[in-house]
Amino acid sequence: MAAVGAHRPGPLKQQNKAHKGGKHSGSSQRRAGGRVPVKAQPRRRLRDLNRVDRRHQALQLRRQRKEAVLAEKRSLGSRDGPPHLVVVVLLHSRAAAHDSLRLLQSQDSAIVRADEGTAGGFALLCPRLKQRWRFVTAQAGDLHAVLDLAKVADSLLFILDPVDGWDSAGEHCLSCLFAQGLPSYALAVPGGTDLPPKKRIDARKKLSKSIEKRFPEAKLFPLNTEQESSLLLRHLSSQKQRHLAFRDHRAHLLARAAEFVPSQDSDLVGTLKVSGFVRGQTLSVNSLVHIVGHGDFQVSQVDAPPDPLSLNPRVVKGQKRSQDMEVQDNSGNGADEMEEDVKVLMKADPSKQESLQSEVVPDPMEGEQTWPTEEELQEAEDSLKANRRVVKVPKGTSKYQAAWIVDDGEEGSEQDDDDDEDDDMDDDLMEEAVSQEGESSEEEAGEEESETMTVSECLRDDQYDEKMEEDEQMLERYKQERMDEMFPDEVDTPRDVPARVRFQKYRGLKSFRTSPWDPKENLPRDYARIFQFQDFSRTRKNLFRQIEKEETEGALVGWYVTLHVCNVPVSVMESFKEGKPLVLFSLLPHEQKMSVLNFLVRRHPGNSEPVRAKEELIFHCGFRRFRASPLFSQHTSADKHKLERFLRPDAALVVTVYAPITFPPASVLLFKQRTNGMHDLIATGSLLSVDPDRIVIKRLVLSGHPFKIFTKTAVVRYMFFNREDVMWFKPVELRTKWGRRGHIKEPLGTHGHMKCHFDGQLKSQDTVLLNLYKRVFPKWTYDPHVPEPVPWVRSESALPEREVEME
């Protein structure tokens, strides 16, 4: 009986001697001297390790990861690394920030140095512990400042109220921080000493239970004494650092000092000298930098001033480290305001410097034919002679006037060329109704403004009526969103315009999933201004692999440098003087160029207002923020994606906009600005791809009702209202809400009735549908300037209420 499993030899199987063929076999063996040819180990042998080898391999990998974590902890805040940047975030209006910072400053043998830019910021130097920290307090209610500081912070220090924890503004701030990406954090609770001991313990237990959902396994640190502040500092320096991917691949810097030098031509634009510690990656002078909230700029020079936060003041850190690089003399630069010990590390090379070009300048003649040759001109003249015609003209008509006289058969030949003049023809009837209502309301408002009327001293009633008008507009949006949910993509066929004219840009598809659609067909003019990758994922992988393996020349991580940023508006310096943080990120190649970005987002559960497609929203994408009017589409694995008219609360959607190229991973936050200036968080997600070829299809559904029903045929009405429309849409397949499929056989009469054939008998309550499709593109509404939000309205507490246990 044959064995069940055949024997398979292992890698060390028996090797028999080869046959000694040939008369020179003995001489070849003597020449080899007893050496045996090397046998290549198969790949399976490298994988199939025994138990002991696998254990040693896992132990080595574990040691390597542990050593990497320890090295990162030792470098952060040490003499060779940047100071430990701690951002203090107040989560409650009653949180005592001043007392907490005073306790942190009162450390033994610690040196405190105040910052120049941010209000309330200071540096803490501990030579005994060989550690240095920099504490920056985010302005209460300034959402942009909190998010910008969290982009570059090593740790966040949340200050809570001992009774309520955080209020509504703190809840909104935490939602934004979690969506953007939360670095390492610590929770401090100052105060509470005025409460009785029993109530103090009960309040602490209640607060610990309340933060379990937001901060699992988090520890609350009381902050009332110097000893407790020392424990908090020890925890901040020893905890594991959480990485944010979008900042780990790019060099970034938080300005500690800044100086603006106006240009010779204008005082509104000049050179901004920004000083700070390099973090993340090596900073190259030839790469572009992005000032968060202000735009992209070029760097002309990098200097090495003395380190103001050095643990050993006798050693000038900038001079010591500048020896590794070519030090240039700046005496000929005319920079008299610079200090004598400031050395120039590097200057930009114009041949290697990145360009600020963000758009392609389209050539209007691209795609047109070239200058004709003599043969083509001769052929054109012959064709003109052959096409000459004789036309009766009135007496005294010139040749130029006679050329415009056409025969009766030529009328209407140019009517099809006027279809592209109206850009809003493809919008649905719902949008037209809204626009008509808006125009009528504007006209009525204009008529009211022109009237003369007496206003009473009390204006509260008028202000209340204005709020009621906003409520009516919101109610109309709710109705539109509800109608779109009940009857998705259904529109009414217009009575005044033929359907073949109203929907002339739409087409029918046999199958939305399998029917082909060319992504390069009928592209808009804006597509001539953008950049596109041949293979975006491959470019991204090669770029990140180059960052990890190759060493870039520039300012290393931990160096204190001064960047000379060119052509910066004076508004950047004014915002820095007001106490707002100045954050710089170096851009990767191609990240200043415009393209089509696709974000995968989900609706934030705290917002339920209807958000319509093509409304202006505020984007916080990675280290950028901008305004744009996006498109919403379904997230599927097909090659075509259906447009969504509203931001759905129950599914993930893809948001498409024109924006600068950003390499994922990068988080994205979507805000909507209210009429009072506040920003509401409506959706969160991440960057999906940079792909202009992603096809977003808008669907329109025309509905009809069965008038007479037979076995497999039916007479349908109310879908069209003239015979020509029925003949025009005859090739498009029909379907019903109850799953029947069919097609139009012939029109009946002249009022739009049509005879249709189906694969089964219809029900009287069924509805006949006809689907039309058209590709849509986002609007070019990109604006890098985002208005500052109004501080969030605070309430007393945002923690969930819990039942009180009765004794």
Side-chain angles (χ1 to χ4, degrees), residues 684-796:
T684 59
S686 60
L687 177 60
L688 180 63
S689 64
V690 180
D691 185 14
D693 289 340
R694 190 177 189 274
I695 302 176
V696 180
I697 303 296
K698 181 179 181 180
R699 185 182 70 174
L700 286 185
V701 179
L702 304 181
S703 59
H705 303 276
F707 178 51
K708 296 180 180 180
I709 300 175
F710 302 98
T711 305
K712 285 192 175 183
T713 59
V715 178
V716 180
R717 60 179 178 178
Y718 301 148
M719 183 178 289
F720 303 108
F721 299 100
N722 56 71
R723 186 181 184 91
E724 290 76 10
D725 288 344
V726 177
M727 297 299 297
W728 179 268
F729 291 99
K730 186 177 180 181
V732 184
E733 186 182 13
L734 301 176
R735 67 178 183 90
T736 68
K737 289 189 175 181
W738 287 23
R740 298 296 183 187
R741 292 188 175 273
H743 60 274
I744 302 174
K745 292 186 67 176
E746 57 182 354
L748 299 177
T750 60
H751 290 77
H753 290 207
M754 55 186 181
K755 185 178 181 181
C756 304
H757 181 79
F758 296 92
D759 57 356
Q761 189 173 10
L762 297 185
K763 301 294 184 181
S764 60
Q765 62 270 31
D766 203 351
T767 305
V768 182
L769 306 176
L770 184 142
N771 295 338
L772 298 176
Y773 303 94
K774 184 194 72 169
R775 184 180 180 183
V776 292
F777 302 90
K779 294 182 179 180
W780 193 288
T781 56
Y782 171 78
D783 186 5
H785 303 289
V786 178
E788 294 293 334
V790 175
W792 189 265
V793 179
R794 291 181 176 270
S795 62
E796 288 299 323

